[in-house]
Amino acid sequence: MSTYLRLRAVPPPALRNSTTWLERLFEDDSETVRHRVGRHQEESLDERYLDQERIYAGAPPHRAEDRPRTQVVLGGRPVFRADRHKPPFLVLTAAQARRVARFLAMADFDALWDFARAELLPRYGGVTAEPETWHEFAVAHKELRAFYAQTAECGDAVVKWLPT
């Protein structure tokens, strides 16, 4: 079974700092969540999420306002679970989600890719597989950009979860 990183948008008034509530948020199907929190906004990244993180967080330093690149995939305030062996939930406030959305709207994917490609390509078949690899990561970038843009437009927070 593949490991996916799941992201869900949550209106700030509905968000709870309770691991029980956060677990229920991801246990329920998206339709149930839509009725409970009033949104139907979810994104998931496949097992390459750590490499997607590398594309953003590993980029060379930019202006201070571009800092949210480190929050795109794995960033956020951790909410630890009772079982410390399970990964924590990660929560971005609505303000943080807006900053991430602005960063992604202005990010040049090709420049980010160029900075990370030497590290990533050997894991995906090398230079000969670059067109396919670039395409897969570019699609994920586009989906993340759309997710965060919609989330920011609604004024929502983001909760991230890595199922174990």
Side-chain angles (χ1 to χ4, degrees), residues 71-141:
Q71 296 177 328
V72 175
V73 178
L74 293 179
R77 177 184 52 83
V79 177
F80 294 99
R81 301 161 84 178
D83 181 350
R84 296 290 179 155
H85 294 94
K86 293 182 178 180
F89 293 97
L90 299 172
V91 179
L92 290 179
T93 65
Q96 290 170 317
R98 281 191 303 276
R99 285 193 298 269
V100 171
R102 281 193 302 272
F103 167 74
L104 290 173
M106 295 178 3
D108 177 352
F109 180 77
D110 287 325
L112 294 171
W113 173 257
D114 287 344
F115 191 78
R117 71 183 287 280
E119 182 180 333
L120 298 180
L121 283 179
R123 294 198 283 273
Y124 295 96
V127 176
T128 58
E130 183 169 11
E132 296 85 13
T133 305
W134 177 91
H135 177 75
E136 290 172 7
F137 282 99
V139 167
H141 172 75

Side-chain angles (χ1 to χ4, degrees), residues 11-27:
L15 186 62
R16 302 290 178 264
N17 195 28
S18 154
T19 55
T20 302
W21 188 89
L22 293 169
E23 286 170 355
R24 280 188 45 230
L25 177 68
F26 286 98
E27 286 174 358

Side-chain angles (χ1 to χ4, degrees), residues 40-58:
H40 185 85
Q41 184 67 13
E42 180 177 50
E43 185 59 55
S44 64
L45 293 173
D46 64 17
E47 64 275 354
R48 293 176 295 221
Y49 68 91
L50 289 174
D51 289 333
Q52 195 75 36
E53 170 77 357
R54 170 69 176 99
I55 289 172
Y56 301 113

